Amino acid sequence: MPSILYLRSMGHEFPAFLSFAESEAVTARYLREVSDDELARYDAILVPAHIDQRGLARREAALTRFLDKGGTLVFNGHLVYPMLGLAPFVPSQGGHKDDLIVESVNAHPVFDGVDDYDISFRRGVSGFYGRGGNPPPAGAIILHRMKTDHAPLDWFWERPQGGRILMHAGNTMWMYLGDDTSAARIAPQLLAWLKATSGKRAACDGKCAQRAQAQTLAQPQNLLAQAA
Amino acid sequence: MRIAYLDGGAYYHHATFHGRGFSRYFAANIYAPELDDTDLDEFDGLYVASRQDPEHLRRNKAKIDAFLDAGKTLVVMGDNDAETWVPGARWEARPVNFWWWLTPGADSGLRVASPEHDLMKTIPLADFTWHQHGVLTPPQGAVSLVDRADGGSIFYDDRASAKGRILVTTLDPCYHNGSYFMPAATRFLQGFLPWLAKA
């Protein structure tokens, strides 16, 4: 089974997710407890929004090694420290309720059955899930975007050099685990997807570019087109 | 006052320090894991942004106590386990009601406790008002600025527990301002930081 590391939040950890992750054999450690070599050894790493991102960016060499050997990085939050060649967070303009609606662009197993409404609103309030985007690299597949300005809120990227990044530029995606909506599907689907696809199956032996291209061609239908 | 900003490395610590011109109120940015190796002598104030890894604060309790012994000012924002390292601090959890404001005309439950305090003449109660993470019991001799109607303080000013001054709150403005989420938190900082710089 793939080895999965959950880097614990500095604050506002979601106890239900911690229990769930540990019950699913995910290793939960604080960043300060994990050496560079250990980081590089895992098959998947979960990064919550409440992480010491400055400290994580200082581990860029280890994260690069982790990705190069086929690791899957699940990153939550606004990217503000340069790392992995990614561009920094751009907030969406406008803070009104309807400026912060999220819409699906492409399907992904982690978000299967998750209704756009349930990540756009909580008790009728918008903006919890995200309010901007971490700009995607070329070749990334946009999964969710802000409806008004199309900010790239969630994307999935298979790096040409190896490894994969599932990016969510907002509040930690597994915070919905206890919600009574379809958004509660995200956390279990995330772990199921990682178990099914990370580790040896994600390593690509230099064939990542071809694989990424094949995946792009095989993408499920655009949900917007489907809705239209 | 020369104030050092303690930065836990989270995106919201970065955004609060660098955004909206707030960095002009600070003489330095100290990365919390490097507090062990940082000399605080050159600063008059230490601003601990909300939601740090409290391990770094507990580990430096002696250094922070010495800073206060020198008559300096410590500002502790919310969610920092203040009760484990701040002299005199007592905190208890309360259910966080994120949703009270959805009811038209709802009472936030906050009350100005010291209307004569200089800070309360600077910032309206509305700018202290979003939600709070638990309540504080001010030490003897400290002054609560904002109370909860059902008991406890959410912001106090303590000149009694140390030679220096300690301001403690359960509000987390750095997180919300740095997340572009909660205009009151930004207004709070726009009022508080200039006040602190002159305090």
Side-chain angles (χ1 to χ4, degrees), chain B residues 19-52:
Chain B
R20 303 183 194 276
F22 289 156
S23 64
R24 70 178 180 274
Y25 298 112
F26 299 104
N29 177 306
I30 300 171
Y31 179 39
E34 295 172 352
L35 182 58
D36 313 31
D37 304 318
T38 304
D39 185 351
L40 296 178
D41 284 354
E42 65 172 296
F43 306 113
D44 308 305
L46 179 64
Y47 177 97
V48 180
S50 45
R51 297 190 182 186
Q52 307 272 341

Side-chain angles (χ1 to χ4, degrees), chain B residues 1-160:
Chain B
M1 175 153 66
R2 284 176 58 77
I3 308 164
Y5 178 92
L6 194 71
D7 183 330
Y11 73 82
Y12 37 87
H13 296 145
H14 181 281
T16 292
F17 184 80
H18 291 283
R20 303 183 194 276
F22 289 156
S23 64
R24 70 178 180 274
Y25 298 112
F26 299 104
N29 177 306
I30 300 171
Y31 179 39
E34 295 172 352
L35 182 58
D36 313 31
D37 304 318
T38 304
D39 185 351
L40 296 178
D41 284 354
E42 65 172 296
F43 306 113
D44 308 305
L46 179 64
Y47 177 97
V48 180
S50 45
R51 297 190 182 186
Q52 307 272 341
D53 181 342
E55 191 54 36
H56 300 303
L57 298 159
R58 287 191 282 265
R59 206 165 67 200
N60 283 283
K61 178 167 171 49
K63 176 177 282 193
I64 293 167
D65 286 350
F67 183 75
L68 286 166
D69 272 347
K72 297 181 174 183
T73 297
L74 173 67
V75 178
V76 185
M77 292 289 150
D79 266 1
N80 280 316
D81 288 7
E83 70 281 7
T84 66
W85 59 277
V86 177
R90 282 185 292 163
W91 175 89
E92 60 185 282
R94 291 280 174 85
V96 183
N97 182 359
F98 296 102
W99 310 104
W100 64 269
W101 55 276
L102 289 175
T103 306
D107 180 356
S108 71
L110 298 183
R111 304 288 183 267
V112 175
S114 301
E116 73 289 353
H117 191 283
D118 192 35
L119 182 60
M120 301 315 294
K121 294 176 183 169
T122 306
I123 308 179
L125 184 63
D127 294 352
F128 286 82
T129 305
W130 53 100
H131 53 255
Q132 320 94 42
H133 294 276
V135 294
L136 300 158
T137 301
Q140 194 165 14
V143 175
S144 176
L145 305 193
V146 180
D147 282 345
R148 270 175 56 143
D150 59 355
S153 170
I154 66 145
F155 197 122
Y156 70 72
D157 183 356
D158 180 10
R159 293 174 184 265

Side-chain angles (χ1 to χ4, degrees), chain A residues 172-194:
Chain A
T172 306
M173 65 169 79
W174 47 82
M175 68 187 273
Y176 297 89
L177 182 60
D179 278 24
D180 186 22
T181 73
S182 67
R185 297 171 67 105
I186 295 172
Q189 288 179 174
L190 172 66
L191 295 191
W193 173 70
L194 288 173

Side-chain angles (χ1 to χ4, degrees), chain A residues 5 23 28-29 38 47 51 53 59 90 94 105 109 119 125 134 169 192:
Chain A
L5 172 65
S23 75
R29 308 269 299 277
E38 285 175 285
V47 176
I51 188 86
Q53 197 184 113
R59 307 290 202 93
V90 180
V105 181
I119 52 175
V125 180
N134 295 325

Side-chain angles (χ1 to χ4, degrees), chain A residues 28-56:
Chain A
R29 308 269 299 277
Y30 290 103
L31 178 63
R32 57 179 148 75
E33 301 171 335
V34 185
S35 72
D36 280 359
D37 284 346
E38 285 175 285
L39 269 185
R41 272 204 295 273
Y42 282 93
D43 295 314
I45 299 177
L46 305 176
V47 176
H50 294 270
I51 188 86
D52 171 5
Q53 197 184 113
R54 190 165 168 176
L56 191 69

Side-chain angles (χ1 to χ4, degrees), chain A residues 62-83:
Chain A
L63 286 176
T64 302
R65 269 196 285 150
F66 156 81
L67 287 167
D68 285 349
K69 72 168 187 50
T72 302
L73 178 66
V74 180
F75 187 100
N76 293 270
H78 303 173
L79 187 76
V80 297
Y81 289 96
M83 65 177 112

